[in-house]
Amino acid sequence: MNQYAATQDAPATQIICDLRSDTVTAPDAKMRAAMADAEVGDDVYGEDATVNRLEASLAERLGKEAGLFLASGTQSNLVGLLSHCARGEEIITGKDYHIWKYEAAGASVLGGIALDPLQVATDGGLEPDAIRAAVKEDDSHHAMSRLLTLENTHNGLAVPLERCMAAADAGRDAGLSVHLDGARFFNAVEALGCSETDLAGIFDTISICLSKGLGAPVGSVLVGPRDVIDRARRWRKMLGGGTRQAGLLAAAGQLALEYNVDRLAEDRMRAERLGQTLSAYGDVQQATNMIFFTPKGGVTTAMQQHMAGHGVRLSEATGTTRFVLHKDVTDEGLQAAITGFDSYFA
Ligand SMILES: *Cc1c(COP(=O)(O)O)cnc(C)c1O
């Protein structure tokens, strides 16, 4: 079962606004051209110039020693966790975080790593006191606490820098390393109005998706200290993720980082506009490029079908539904959504 897959049959109207997720973004002509023109080599030999450039440039941009290109955010987090922790060691994370909920317990299955998931605060962060309480004493009864992982953005929420720092400090004081699941790292930076290195500097390692809002078709980058990234490269190979002429994909990621970071502000502003419309029709929680909408009377298939008639695709949901703005929702698409919701609730 796939929680995001479309349930409605292909509607008669062409879809011009897909609000299910920012994962639906497609590479545009410029990106496809960059992919076609990419300089490539065998990346397992370390000879793919485009991959090497992507890894080095993103690491440098974020003030880290090294980077590693991976197939997905899940693979990047997994390889990161395996590089920090050994069997019998433990990761402290959040109950609602992707690493705990949506990564098939990969770190436990493949690494023999325990996870201790804490309650996530309403701002998307973890409480320093809860982190301190979760760290296990050095006692043969316990797993060995080794790593803290945070997530930013979390459900679209840009967790403030001070909150990230307080959590990271609590972990570091107890001897833990700190990893960020920064699938939407640049959405967080944009919303916080901080510098990229302000946020990156809090963490040892960061996993960043080049797909989603940045619009690359495939790929994530893990950045961090050289020794951790060297171990990550071995894990990636072991997991079957060492690829050859990957520069075709890295070229798309490079372009995404050059051209699609600044425009993330547009997605947040469009989410605000859509949220203003929807607030007349139910409860709206808006955070960066996402909206969580609980219409009076709940989500219905009638609403999904009505919106499809306006060219707008929504996720299957009950109660509350999530809408995500991204680069393939233009002003025209946004207007179709606003017109569709206005007419549905009229
Ligand atoms: C999407 C996402 C991931 C995983 O990325 P995939 O590329 O889909 O594997 C990890 N963490 C968070 C918070 C995400 O939103």
Side-chain angles (χ1 to χ4, degrees):
M1 200 177 118
N2 184 335
Q3 60 177 331
Y4 299 122
T7 47
Q8 61 252 39
D9 293 333
T13 313
Q14 198 200 339
I15 294 297
I16 58 164
C17 175
D18 190 338
L19 292 176
R20 288 173 299 159
S21 176
D22 47 9
T23 57
V24 302
T25 49
D28 56 19
K30 189 171 167 184
M31 188 174 277
R32 287 167 193 257
M35 295 171 77
D37 290 344
E39 188 187 345
V40 297
D42 188 329
D43 183 46
V44 175
Y45 293 177
E47 290 176 1
D48 191 299
T50 308
V51 172
N52 291 344
R53 204 176 308 125
L54 172 67
E55 291 176 344
S57 64
L58 186 54
E60 195 193 339
R61 177 169 169 172
L62 300 183
K64 302 297 179 199
E65 286 175 2
L68 184 68
F69 183 56
L70 297 117
S72 68
T74 300
Q75 190 184 50
S76 179
N77 275 331
L78 173 62
V79 155
L81 303 179
L82 291 167
S83 303
H84 280 290
C85 304
R87 286 180 75 80
E89 294 184 339
E90 177 192 67
I91 297 163
I92 294 170
T93 186
K95 235 178 215 168
D96 302 321
Y97 286 173
H98 203 276
I99 283 175
W100 172 251
K101 259 177 120 167
Y102 298 118
E103 299 186 4
S108 302
V109 175
L110 299 169
I113 302 165
L115 286 106
D116 188 353
L118 309 182
Q119 192 66 44
V120 177
T122 49
D123 67 359
L126 298 181
E127 298 297 349
D129 283 344
I131 294 166
R132 281 186 277 270
V135 173
K136 315 292 178 286
E137 283 173 49
D138 182 4
D139 176 312
S140 60
H141 292 82
H142 302 317
M144 292 170 276
S145 304
R146 177 68 65 221
L147 181 71
L148 169 69
T149 79
L150 302 181
E151 186 174 299
N152 208 356
T153 60
H154 168 65
N155 285 345
L157 292 163
V159 185
L161 286 181
E162 318 79 71
R163 288 280 287 158
C164 295
M165 272 184 243
D169 286 348
R172 286 230 170 74
D173 289 347
L176 309 187
S177 296
V178 189
H179 170 80
L180 178 69
D181 178 356
R184 295 184 180 83
F185 176 87
F186 291 103
N187 298 79
V189 166
E190 189 281 317
L192 294 173
C194 64
S195 75
E196 294 171 3
T197 48
D198 281 346
L199 182 58
I202 298 171
F203 305 96
D204 297 296
T205 50
I206 307 170
S207 169
I208 294 173
C209 288
L210 304 171
S211 55
K212 302 197 172 166
L214 296 186
V218 172
S220 284
V221 178
L222 179 71
V223 296
R226 179 145 336 256
D227 60 329
V228 179
I229 299 301
D230 285 347
R231 286 200 294 280
R233 193 173 293 279
R234 176 183 292 267
W235 277 115
R236 186 188 67 173
K237 183 74 182 140
M238 205 186 300
L239 294 169
T243 52
R244 305 295 177 176
Q245 288 70 31
L248 290 180
L249 300 171
Q254 188 77 45
L255 201 85
L257 288 167
E258 279 165 25
Y259 294 99
N260 292 343
V261 170
D262 289 344
R263 59 157 308 290
L264 292 173
E266 292 173 29
D267 298 339
R268 182 171 54 77
M269 289 186 285
R270 289 197 177 109
E272 271 170 26
R273 264 187 65 200
L274 182 58
Q276 280 159 10
T277 297
L278 293 171
S279 60
Y281 310 126
D283 180 68
V284 173
Q285 305 291 327
Q286 184 248 324
T288 59
N289 63 329
M290 297 185 190
I291 288 173
F292 295 86
F293 177 49
T294 314
K296 293 166 187 153
V299 180
T300 58
T301 38
M303 181 173 98
Q304 287 159 355
Q305 279 160 4
H306 178 89
M307 293 306 290
H310 284 262
V312 182
R313 180 171 286 163
L314 309 179
S315 299
E316 184 197 10
T318 51
T320 299
T321 183
R322 183 187 77 161
F323 304 142
V324 187
L325 282 295
H326 51 79
K327 78 170 184 62
D328 292 354
V329 176
T330 59
D331 281 329
E332 186 199 0
L334 178 63
Q335 192 53 54
I338 290 172
T339 307
F341 282 119
D342 278 339
S343 61
Y344 179 73
F345 287 105

